[in-house]
Amino acid sequence: MKGIPRLLSAVPVVLLTACVSSMLAKQVVAPPNKSGIKPIFWDSPVVARGPDAYSDTWKIHVNDPPADIAVASVEPGDYGLQYDLRLSYPDGRAPNIDFFNAYWRPAKEVVRRTEPPLGTIVIIHGYLTDKRFLVPWAVRLAQAGYRCALVDLRGHGESTGKHIGFGAFEAHDVSAVIDDLAARGWDVSHVGLLGVSYGASVALLTAGRDARISRVVAFEPFSSAEKAVPELMRAVFTKESKGISDAQFAAAHIKEARIAGFDWADADIPAALARTRAPVLFLHGAADHWLSPDHSRALAKVAPPGSELVIVPRDNHVTLPLQIQPFEQRVIGWFGALSAR
């Protein structure tokens, strides 16, 4: 991207647009775990502590296209969760994380729940991160009695995959994980999904194709990749995306599917919501400048009956999913319908 300004006087605009859009398309669908980009909190002790909660880990192989998907289980029990998140909200500025730490007992020390699990919940992380980042939510739900499976999406964490597909591949991958859980003896007759950002959109697409999904909690999803990619890149990768026009982003959008080998129709989230009967709890920060709350507002309009939209004042894309204590009862209550069936 550094050499692009020098080319402006020498390369016809049409060729320049094609060149930039091709490079951008390749970058957008490349596996994030090969990018070298470090996500927020990658060096946090909370993230490092994540695997302590795993009762078991394994991989499943999927095809079309091939990848090995990493999964970890967090079983119901008393983890003694201690969660300390302190935020401040300066006027006119983004929320500030003043302190963040968490502790839970390692799985081998947990007193297991003797009653049957209240249900199965599959937890799906966001772009650039991996399953470790959502362990606190898994632990909290496991303490409430749910059996949780954390998934590394293809091209993330310990999963393989040559390209990502904005849900076109990943929704099938999540269904394959649920098939595998069934083979392992888990009750998957009524499954809950909890997803964050990219993972929330994958959860919505999965609900549109898999009748076993009964409830979804979607933190800050995007309504379409075509809108989300330029919005996110301009907010997060400001320097890298400077000078990339709307036309170049649009041209890249078409090429992304061709490069990775998927159809954008398979990543149509509003269409998926029209097919599912699973009510969705949408949670989106009003101060989210990475993915506007308008994404959730648009999705809520086409979500199935019983869905709810919560726009959270002052929180942004980073702070909202960290907010376990303000929303744990609402989320646990939302998944309560799994055990009531």
Side-chain angles (χ1 to χ4, degrees):
M1 297 300 296
K2 292 181 179 179
I4 286 175
R6 298 177 185 176
L7 297 175
L8 288 175
S9 61
V11 180
V13 173
V14 172
L15 293 180
L16 179 61
T17 299
C19 177
V20 172
S21 63
S22 295
M23 291 190 296
L24 178 61
K26 290 178 183 178
Q27 181 181 0
V28 167
V29 296
N33 58 7
K34 302 293 186 182
S35 70
I37 300 172
K38 300 296 185 183
I40 294 175
F41 305 125
W42 69 273
D43 58 349
S44 165
V46 178
V47 174
R49 196 174 294 129
D52 291 348
Y54 300 163
S55 297
D56 195 8
T57 60
W58 65 95
K59 289 185 177 181
I60 67 166
H61 184 74
V62 297
N63 292 303
D64 300 325
D68 293 319
I69 306 300
V71 186
S73 60
V74 179
E75 299 286 353
D78 182 7
Y79 290 78
L81 176 63
Q82 298 175 24
Y83 195 80
D84 192 352
L85 174 68
R86 303 171 206 169
L87 302 174
S88 57
Y89 299 88
D91 289 341
R93 290 187 291 165
N96 187 60
I97 300 172
D98 299 323
F99 184 82
F100 177 42
N101 205 351
Y103 168 81
W104 48 84
R105 295 189 186 98
K108 60 185 178 182
E109 299 176 9
V110 169
V111 177
R112 296 290 181 86
R113 180 184 171 95
T114 56
E115 302 89 345
L118 296 179
T120 293
I121 299 175
V122 178
I123 300 177
I124 313 171
H125 62 82
Y127 180 76
L128 272 180
T129 65
D130 59 55
K131 60 183 179 295
R132 297 172 300 161
F133 287 70
L134 291 181
V135 167
W137 269 110
V139 168
R140 183 62 189 92
L141 289 165
Q143 285 193 164
Y146 291 95
R147 202 174 193 188
C148 298
L150 291 143
V151 178
D152 277 343
L153 294 173
R154 62 171 58 223
H156 291 80
E158 297 177 303
S159 292
T160 64
K162 187 176 179 181
H163 297 102
I164 63 172
F166 290 89
F169 300 144
E170 292 85 347
H172 293 269
D173 297 343
V174 173
S175 286
V177 169
I178 296 171
D179 291 342
D180 182 75
L181 295 177
R184 291 170 180 270
W186 293 42
D187 180 2
V188 298
S189 56
H190 302 290
V191 176
L193 300 180
L194 183 149
V196 171
S197 190
Y198 188 102
S201 296
V202 169
L204 298 174
L205 288 164
T206 306
R209 67 175 305 275
D210 195 324
R212 296 171 294 186
I213 310 305
S214 294
R215 290 262 158 169
V216 180
V217 173
F219 282 92
E220 56 204 22
F222 56 79
S223 56
S224 78
E226 186 174 16
K227 295 177 182 178
V229 170
E231 182 179 359
L232 182 64
M233 285 195 66
R234 286 167 174 163
V236 180
F237 303 105
T238 307
K239 183 179 179 180
E240 292 82 356
S241 61
K242 186 177 181 180
I244 300 178
S245 68
D246 289 344
Q248 288 165 334
F249 272 114
H253 181 74
I254 296 171
K255 294 176 181 179
E256 287 153 13
R258 190 182 311 144
I259 291 168
F262 65 85
D263 190 327
W264 277 118
D266 293 329
D268 187 332
I269 302 168
L273 283 171
R275 293 191 298 267
T276 185
R277 295 182 180 179
V280 182
L281 173 61
F282 295 95
L283 294 156
H284 217 120
D288 191 339
H289 300 301
W290 292 11
L291 291 175
S292 164
D294 287 342
H295 286 275
S296 283
R297 291 189 180 104
L299 292 172
K301 289 180 180 179
V302 295
S307 297
E308 295 181 16
L309 170 64
V310 180
I311 303 297
V312 183
R314 303 191 298 174
D315 275 303
N316 65 11
H317 204 77
V318 175
T319 60
L320 181 62
L322 300 177
Q323 293 265 42
I324 291 181
Q325 289 157 334
F327 302 109
E328 59 184 359
Q329 293 307 318
R330 187 157 199 164
V331 169
I332 291 168
W334 192 258
F335 287 130
L338 299 176
S339 57
R341 291 178 181 271

